Amino acid sequence: MIPTITAFERSPDGGKGLARDTRVRWALEEVGQPYAVRPVSFRAMREPAHLALHPFGKIPTYEEGDLALFESGAIVFHIAEHHAGLFPDDANARARAITWMFAALNTVEPAILELATARLLEGDKPWSRERLPLVADRVRDRLKQLSAHLGTADWLDGVFSAGDLMMVSVLLRLRASGVLDEFPGLAAYVSRGEARPAYRRAFAAQLAINAPLE
Amino acid sequence: MIPTITAFERSPDGGKGLARDTRVRWALEEVGQPYAVRPVSFRAMREPAHLALHPFGKIPTYEEGDLALFESGAIVFHIAEHHAGLFPDDANARARAITWMFAALNTVEPAILELATARLLEGDKPWSRERLPLVADRVRDRLKQLSAHLGTADWLDGVFSAGDLMMVSVLLRLRASGVLDEFPGLAAYVSRGEARPAYRRAFAAQLAINAPLE
């Protein structure tokens, strides 16, 4: 059975691949699972039919037979658990890959989201200019630690895993700020993720929906 | 083998149970797994020995034989996966419980953390008074949606699961702000979590370390 995911009918990022459906597309491409996409408008995201699938009115969702999931972390986890390619076979290595998924989503992404919020939702506030550097420094604190852990390794824990998929996806949201480039090791790590054929297919697929019409 | 977790040598909350070791203690208590606790000072958290266990220099960590994990989400997941009592047996219900864990940590907690940051780290800034209501409103947006989903149910998806454990733990961090009490259904949900014998044992265990000496 081919699963169906939801994505923005038109992503606010105009096709940069930063919406959370890209993570799920990437995971599906890594494991070679075909999928269908149902685009959802901003209006439809607030309507009962979508809220029944996603209580927070966001994308992506994931439907497969009588299973319906939301949250990109949970969907990527589900894909990794049911297909080979995103979790190591060794039980301890698998537990560490899951740890990196949670670290990406609960320790690294919140700081990055706060920076995005400071720019997008509070950029016109009188405190924005003075506050932005404080918020960016909190991101830098996390990246310093992450960079120290990664060192010169290709991936966070041996071979590429769902933990890397999620961490790269989270770090990508930072590129426009310039902060990622202050950490060349992490910038190279993100580039390694983007160079994977599965990522490129996922990126192209979301771009086909989201790119401005010529 | 009895696992060892780390916790603050003295929690900044003085024993309110809001540090993330409480989530892990609660999960261990729910499944009846004895555990050992190694308290870590703020100085030790920045030293190489601890950073080798937790790249972001935080608590809790989890050690069990040759397995070492960090991130409360990953640790609770590991406990739930290896013991009965925190994940439903049905595969779809289990996937939904995992979804709620991720929703707690990646959709609900970031907004709550931003409110905590606004109070604790930016409370003395000139913009604090004008900005705090904006941040609190972003928390309210999430709680409205969560409250609409929960309705009059006891738990988020049928029986109590690791998803509820994580969501209640996240919402507890909001109580001091007064915002939780604006949503009586969610406040009652949190109280149901706190009333569980396993939570009470976990809370008492952290209190014994953290309460100010009389």
Side-chain angles (χ1 to χ4, degrees):
Chain A
M1 175 165 318
I2 291 187
T4 298
I5 68 169
T6 51
F8 288 125
E9 188 176 62
R10 181 66 66 94
S11 173
D13 75 3
K16 293 197 181 72
L18 304 180
R20 286 183 172 88
D21 59 295
T22 304
R23 304 166 183 190
V24 171
R25 293 171 185 272
W26 186 4
L28 289 162
E29 292 286 354
E30 289 282 350
V31 304
Q33 170 65 53
Y35 61 100
V37 179
R38 184 158 46 80
V40 188
S41 69
F42 285 107
R43 196 175 72 179
M45 288 168 70
R46 294 195 179 82
E47 289 172 357
H50 188 72
L51 289 170
L53 274 177
H54 197 317
F56 298 102
K58 302 169 104 184
I59 60 93
T61 58
Y62 179 95
E63 292 162 90
E64 184 186 12
D66 57 357
L67 175 65
L69 300 177
F70 61 99
E71 285 287 328
S72 59
I75 298 169
V76 169
F77 176 86
H78 179 79
I79 295 163
E81 195 176 29
H82 287 85
H83 301 267
L86 286 172
F87 282 151
D89 290 334
D90 175 74
N92 284 0
R94 178 178 176 276
R96 291 195 301 270
I98 293 169
T99 293
W100 282 111
M101 289 185 68
F102 280 103
L105 295 171
N106 195 232
T107 292
V108 179
E109 190 165 41
I112 291 176
L113 281 181
E114 197 169 341
L115 184 59
T117 300
R119 291 166 163 257
L120 299 176
L121 298 187
E122 299 181 23
D124 60 346
K125 300 294 182 191
W127 56 78
S128 181
R129 194 172 157 189
E130 194 180 344
R131 185 172 175 267
L132 264 174
L134 301 181
V135 182
D137 277 348
R138 294 203 285 263
V139 175
R140 288 184 185 100
D141 287 344
R142 292 279 188 266
L143 296 199
K144 267 178 219 159
Q145 295 164 314
L146 183 64
S147 182
H149 171 85
L150 182 66
T152 58
D154 277 357
W155 307 111
L156 289 168
D157 191 293
V159 297
F160 176 84
S161 79
D164 295 296
L165 185 154
M166 202 53 85
M167 190 65 81
V168 168
S169 298
V170 162
L171 293 175
L172 271 168
R173 309 190 114 190
L174 200 54
R175 183 179 275 157
S177 72
V179 174
L180 181 62
D181 291 327
E182 298 172 21
F183 299 85
L186 292 180
Y189 168 68
V190 169
S191 295
R192 273 191 294 281
E194 289 178 296
R196 292 179 70 86
Y199 178 84
R200 295 162 71 112
R201 289 193 296 271
F203 184 87
Q206 65 78 34
L207 186 64
I209 289 187
N210 291 315
L213 298 172
E214 297 298 322
Chain B
M1 174 164 319
I2 290 186
T4 297
I5 68 169
T6 51
F8 289 125
E9 189 176 62
R10 181 68 65 95
S11 174
D13 75 3
K16 292 197 182 73
L18 304 180
R20 285 182 171 88
D21 60 294
T22 304
R23 303 166 184 190
V24 171
R25 294 171 184 271
W26 186 4
L28 289 161
E29 292 286 354
E30 288 282 352
V31 304
Q33 170 64 54
Y35 61 100
V37 180
R38 185 158 46 80
V40 188
S41 70
F42 285 106
R43 197 176 72 180
M45 288 169 69
R46 294 195 180 81
E47 289 173 357
H50 188 72
L51 289 170
L53 275 177
H54 196 317
F56 299 101
K58 302 170 103 184
I59 60 94
T61 59
Y62 179 94
E63 292 163 88
E64 185 186 12
D66 57 357
L67 175 65
L69 300 177
F70 61 99
E71 285 287 328
S72 59
I75 299 169
V76 169
F77 176 86
H78 179 79
I79 295 164
E81 196 177 27
H82 288 85
H83 301 268
L86 285 171
F87 282 151
D89 291 333
D90 174 74
N92 284 1
R94 178 177 176 275
R96 291 195 302 270
I98 293 169
T99 293
W100 282 110
M101 289 184 68
F102 280 104
L105 294 171
N106 194 233
T107 292
V108 178
E109 189 165 40
I112 291 175
L113 281 180
E114 197 169 341
L115 183 60
T117 300
R119 290 165 165 258
L120 299 176
L121 298 186
E122 300 181 23
D124 60 345
K125 300 294 181 191
W127 57 76
S128 181
R129 195 173 157 190
E130 193 180 345
R131 185 171 175 268
L132 265 175
L134 302 181
V135 182
D137 277 348
R138 295 202 286 262
V139 175
R140 288 185 183 100
D141 288 344
R142 291 280 188 266
L143 297 200
K144 266 177 219 159
Q145 295 164 314
L146 182 64
S147 181
H149 171 84
L150 182 65
T152 57
D154 276 357
W155 307 111
L156 290 168
D157 191 293
V159 296
F160 177 83
S161 78
D164 295 297
L165 185 154
M166 203 53 86
M167 190 66 81
V168 167
S169 297
V170 162
L171 293 175
L172 271 168
R173 310 190 113 190
L174 199 55
R175 183 179 275 156
S177 72
V179 174
L180 181 62
D181 291 326
E182 298 172 21
F183 299 85
L186 292 180
Y189 169 68
V190 169
S191 296
R192 272 192 293 280
E194 290 178 296
R196 292 179 71 86
Y199 178 83
R200 295 163 71 113
R201 289 193 297 271
F203 184 87
Q206 65 78 32
L207 186 65
I209 290 187
N210 292 314
L213 299 172
E214 297 297 321

